[in-house]
Amino acid sequence: MSAQRLLVRQVALLVTTLCLLQTGWSAHWSDKDRTPVRKDLCPEEGDWTQGGGSCYQLVKSPTQWIMAEYLCREYFHQEAMPVKITSKEENDFVWKLIGDRDVWIGLQDISNPDRDVGVWQWSDGTNMTRKMYKNWYPGSPNGNGETCALFWEGGEGTWDDVHCREEYPFICELDIDECAKGLHKCSPKALCENTGDGYECECAIGYDGDGYTCEKLKPGQQSKKQKPKEKKPKKVERSYKDLDKCVKGLNKCAPQAICENVGESYRCTCAMGYVGDGFTCQRDTPQLREQRRKQKELEEQQQKEQQQKEEQQKEEQQKEEQPTQEQPKEEVESGESDKKEEVKEEL
C-alpha cells in the first residue's frame, strides 16, 4: 500500500471517530465493537448519566435498601432499579460516578439469614452465580444478618455486606432497550432480544450464523450455531406493604432484642437478661433492679394516695347530696298532717 493511500485511510478513520464522538455514540459494556449507544437516550427529567447501554441516577439522600429499590421504580422511572454490576468496566464506571462513598447496589441475600452462605440476588431477579462478575471486599460477604450490598467507602470499588436497615445513598440504573430503539447490529434475518445488560442476536428459523450475519440454510442442512434458550430465573416478588421486616433485617430493634413481625409493622422486645424499650437494650444489673423496685414502690404509693383522694372526694360529695334527698320526705310528712287537719274540721 502506498504512503498516500495509507494517509488517506488514516484520515478517514480519524474523521469517522470524531463524528461518532460528536453524535454521542459509545460502546456497550458487553460488546464494545458491536453495540453503539447514543448518550441522549436517558430520561430528560432527573440527573441521569449514560454509560454503556444504561442510564444511571445517583441519589445522595440516604435511605434503607428496600426503600432504594422502591424509589428507583416508583419515583425515578417505572423500569429503573438499583444498579446491577455485570462487568469490571461497568463497576469502574459506576465507582467513578458515585465517588468514594458508601452507596447501595441492587444486590440482596434472599436466603434464610441463619445460613452462613447465602443466595445473593440482583433486583431484576437474577441469582448471582460463580461465573458472574463480582467484586467483594476480601472477607465479604460474612453473614451475621448482613443481607444487603453496597459500594464500600475506601474499598476502591469493592462491595461489602451490611444490615439492610442502615441508611446510605443509592444509584438507580435504567436499561436502554437497543432492540426497541433500533440501536442493535443484528442481521435483518435475526431476532434481537434485550437482556437488560445488552442484547443478543439469534438467526431466525431457516438461517444460520452468529446473529450479526445470517445465511440461509440449504435444503436438509441444520443450523450449527443455534443454541437452546436458557430459562430466565424466576424473580422474587417483593411486597412493600406487608414485608417481614424481622426476617429481612429491615427493623431497628436492638441487637439484644427479639423482633416480632406484626402486619405492616413490627414489635421489639428486649431479650431475657436485658431491659429497655426494644430499640435500646442494656444488660440487667442489681443497681437497675433496685431502681425498678423503688420506682414500682413509688408508683404503688402514688396510686394508693390517688385512690384515697378519690374516695374522700366521693364521701364529701355524698354528704353534700344527703340534705337534698331528705327534703322530699319532710314535705310528704307535712302534706299528710295538713290533710288530717282538714278532715277534723269537716267533722
Side-chain angles (χ1 to χ4, degrees), residues 20-21 24-39 50-54 56 87 89-90 93 176 178 183 185 197-199:
L20 290 175
L21 292 174
W25 291 77
S26 62
H28 195 279
W29 309 125
S30 59
D31 197 357
K32 294 182 179 180
D33 59 339
R34 292 186 182 273
T35 316
V37 179
R38 290 201 308 270
K39 294 182 179 180
Q50 193 272 345
S54 298
Y56 302 90
S87 66
E89 291 79 9
E90 184 177 14
F93 175 85
I176 298 175
E178 295 90 347
L183 302 176
K185 286 195 172 182
D197 55 353
Y199 65 89

Side-chain angles (χ1 to χ4, degrees), residues 75-286:
Y75 185 76
F76 292 100
H77 196 281
Q78 61 182 359
E79 296 181 0
M81 61 186 66
V83 63
K84 174 185 177 183
I85 308 295
T86 59
S87 66
K88 183 180 185 303
E89 291 79 9
E90 184 177 14
N91 192 83
D92 294 344
F93 175 85
V94 175
W95 175 244
K96 291 180 181 179
L97 178 64
I98 65 177
D100 188 13
R101 68 180 75 189
D102 294 323
V103 174
W104 288 124
I105 61 176
L107 189 60
Q108 184 184 34
D109 183 359
I110 62 171
S111 64
N112 190 320
D114 295 332
R115 293 177 55 184
D116 294 333
V117 180
V119 178
W120 289 87
Q121 185 183 83
W122 291 103
S123 294
D124 65 350
T126 304
N127 290 342
M128 176 175 283
T129 62
R130 294 182 179 180
K131 295 182 179 180
M132 295 178 66
Y133 175 80
K134 55 184 70 69
N135 195 32
W136 291 107
Y137 183 78
S140 297
N142 54 15
N144 299 324
E146 299 174 343
T147 57
C148 290
L150 49 61
F151 274 112
W152 179 50
E153 181 179 2
E156 297 297 328
T158 56
W159 312 340
D160 192 17
D161 57 329
V162 297
H163 290 286
C164 298
R165 64 173 178 265
E166 297 180 16
E167 297 184 353
Y168 297 102
F170 59 99
I171 183 168
C172 304
E173 180 179 6
L174 177 62
D175 174 60
I176 298 175
D177 191 339
E178 295 90 347
C179 298
K181 296 183 180 296
L183 302 176
H184 61 86
K185 286 195 172 182
C186 296
S187 168
K189 304 297 189 296
L191 303 176
C192 179
E193 180 181 0
N194 187 58
T195 60
D197 55 353
Y199 65 89
E200 294 180 354
C201 303
E202 182 180 358
C203 292
I205 297 176
Y207 292 84
D208 188 24
D210 59 1
Y212 299 98
T213 57
C214 299
E215 297 180 358
K216 191 172 183 178
L217 294 172
K218 297 179 180 179
Q221 184 181 2
Q222 295 183 353
S223 175
K224 298 179 181 180
K225 296 185 178 181
Q226 288 183 350
K227 300 179 181 179
K229 292 186 178 180
E230 297 181 358
K231 293 184 178 180
K232 294 184 178 180
K234 185 178 180 181
K235 182 176 180 179
V236 175
E237 296 294 336
R238 298 182 174 92
S239 173
Y240 299 96
K241 292 184 177 180
D242 190 12
L243 186 69
D244 192 335
K245 301 173 181 61
C246 297
V247 174
K248 290 296 182 181
L250 302 176
N251 59 80
K252 292 187 177 182
C253 296
Q256 301 84 6
I258 299 173
C259 179
E260 180 184 359
N261 190 62
V262 183
E264 298 182 8
S265 185
Y266 60 92
R267 183 185 299 114
C268 302
T269 307
C270 292
M272 185 177 296
Y274 292 86
V275 293
D277 59 0
F279 298 98
T280 56
C281 299
Q282 56 181 332
R283 184 175 292 278
D284 200 3
T285 62

